Amino acid sequence: MSSPVYTFVSRDDNSTIYAEVSKMLLATGHWKRLKRDNPRFNLMLGERNRLPFGRLGHEPGLVQLVNYYRGADKLCRKASLVKLIKTSPELSDSSNWFPESYIIYPTNLNTPVAPASNGISHLKSNPKTDEREVFLASYHTKKENGEGSVWIAKSSAGAKGAGILISHDANQLLDYIDNQGQVHVIQKYLEKPLLLEPGHRKFDIRSWVLVDHQYNIYLYREGVLRTSSEPYNRADLQDMTSHLTNHCIQKEHSQNYGRYEEGNEMFFDEFRLYLLNTHNVTMETTILPQIKHVIKSCLSCIEAAISTKHLSYQSFQLFGFDFMVDENFKVWLIEINGAPACAQKLYPELCQGIIDVAISSVFALYSDSSSASSSPYSSSPSSLFTTNSCSSPKLRGPLHVGPFTRL
């Protein structure tokens, strides 16, 4: 019996990851690409901020899947993430893995200011809260106690190192935000990061995480360290190449770009060896368990709010979790990206993994019952969507699918 043919539309011309996924789908011979405005599709590879969620799932006889979760910005915008972490009882241990952070609105927006003594209550009960008074109280306490006085201001919607100031001076940080005209987050700066040698350099870690339509959380086995080209210098907070590892900043402003690692990227296999040889530490017992805990905690916290299990359409999404590690090998979440880029050499494996985990689990490529068992869920689209009850049981995906492991 011949295999079925499914249809998809692609509405994001800027995503290199989903451009690759599109090519792979077409290469199977089981998928047909429709014009971008055709509503009769099985799969939409859409643009994150322009998805017609309200129109999905209303085509008779069609199962529809889209590559983003509505409401995932609760994690992916910096201010929303801070609010979520501070107000969610499920994340009560976040002080162990998320730097102390405050949401700051420019004064000209006249946002209600939380009192220094009862800030969390104000944050919970108001849609928007300026935490500058709470921040100032903490800033002065930490400075007096010798707990470090360096903080970083980051635009809530900023990317690629834009809208960032690092400073010892609280008033300078607040004035900077007031002049920017948009909401920022002020976060305690990690003053004693683990550094790479040679070069005494900072790095951060990007981990890719895929959430399927049943809200199974999968971690991609590969990760990448984005490295600095310049020595870390706590005495000079103006040198962005010393403090920020964003590729665009390193490539544009550092004369040493690519000197230590090609493209300023170190992958996990090399990092494993580095940790073992330099620090006698194994990544599997120190770094990865912390990364997995943070990922699962954050995504589980919003599952009830964004899951599509009870809706007439289904979602999946790829996330990029960014971490730093301090000198005591403690992992800190920095931010979460809802439309992450990917290192070029990982495209074939990562994109095939997205298809296997998130797409083929819904749209099996086999129409006969004997072959259907090769689908990760061993289910046809119709059987996966026979109930829209929010009380329907969650189908646990397999522990391993290609390069992904379920958490």
Side-chain angles (χ1 to χ4, degrees), residues 162-395:
I164 288 180
L165 176 68
I166 305 169
S167 177
H168 290 279
D169 188 332
N171 290 323
Q172 183 186 21
L173 290 162
L174 293 173
D175 289 344
Y176 171 78
I177 294 172
D178 287 342
N179 290 328
Q180 293 293 305
Q182 57 183 304
V183 61
H184 278 59
V185 164
I186 289 184
Q187 193 170 73
K188 186 69 190 69
Y189 190 62
L190 196 63
E191 297 185 47
K192 297 180 180 179
L194 182 65
L195 299 174
L196 290 175
E197 304 297 347
H200 208 60
R201 299 168 296 122
K202 279 186 70 173
F203 66 90
D204 67 10
I205 298 174
R206 160 64 59 85
S207 289
W208 290 275
V209 181
L210 184 60
V211 180
D212 73 2
H213 70 288
Q214 281 286 331
Y215 217 86
N216 291 295
I217 301 167
Y218 284 90
L219 176 63
Y220 181 49
R221 69 181 170 204
E222 184 61 274
V224 65
L225 276 63
R226 297 177 298 189
T227 65
S228 171
S229 311
E230 306 294 338
Y232 176 59
N233 183 4
R234 290 168 65 183
D236 183 3
L237 301 180
Q238 308 305 313
D239 182 2
M240 291 293 104
T241 60
S242 168
H243 295 276
L244 301 180
T245 57
N246 308 69
H247 283 320
C248 51
I249 288 176
Q250 293 293 324
K251 191 171 185 177
E252 185 174 343
H253 299 290
S254 173
Q255 295 182 346
N256 289 318
Y257 179 77
R259 174 182 175 185
Y260 299 98
E261 297 87 23
E262 183 179 354
N264 279 37
E265 292 179 329
M266 178 188 290
F267 293 90
F268 272 6
D269 282 348
E270 187 178 350
F271 187 46
R272 283 186 179 92
L273 286 175
Y274 175 82
L275 288 173
L276 195 59
N277 295 336
T278 308
H279 299 286
N280 196 29
V281 162
T282 61
M283 189 170 171
E284 274 63 28
T285 57
T286 54
I287 308 297
L288 279 180
Q290 297 180 72
I291 284 177
K292 291 176 181 178
H293 170 72
V294 173
I295 289 169
K296 194 165 185 179
S297 296
C298 290
L299 286 168
S300 297
C301 179
I302 63 167
E303 178 177 0
I306 74 169
S307 172
T308 55
K309 187 158 62 94
H310 58 290
L311 300 181
S312 57
Y313 71 92
Q314 301 291 286
S315 292
F316 71 91
Q317 187 162 345
L318 182 71
F319 294 90
F321 278 70
D322 293 341
F323 300 96
M324 287 189 63
V325 183
D326 68 21
E327 63 181 10
N328 296 316
F329 302 99
K330 194 171 183 178
V331 170
W332 297 89
L333 174 66
I334 302 303
E335 61 187 54
I336 304 171
N337 193 306
C342 171
Q344 189 74 35
K345 79 171 197 174
L346 302 179
Y347 272 38
E349 184 181 69
L350 179 70
C351 293
Q352 186 60 55
I354 291 172
I355 292 172
D356 293 342
V357 171
I359 299 174
S360 295
S361 60
V362 178
F363 302 107
L365 297 184
Y366 304 94
S367 57
D368 62 287
S369 58
S370 62
S371 298
S373 61
S374 63
S375 167
Y377 287 94
S378 300
S379 303
S380 65
S382 58
S383 67
L384 286 172
F385 292 85
T386 51
T387 174
N388 286 328
S389 168
C390 58
S391 62
S392 59
K394 176 176 176 176
L395 289 178

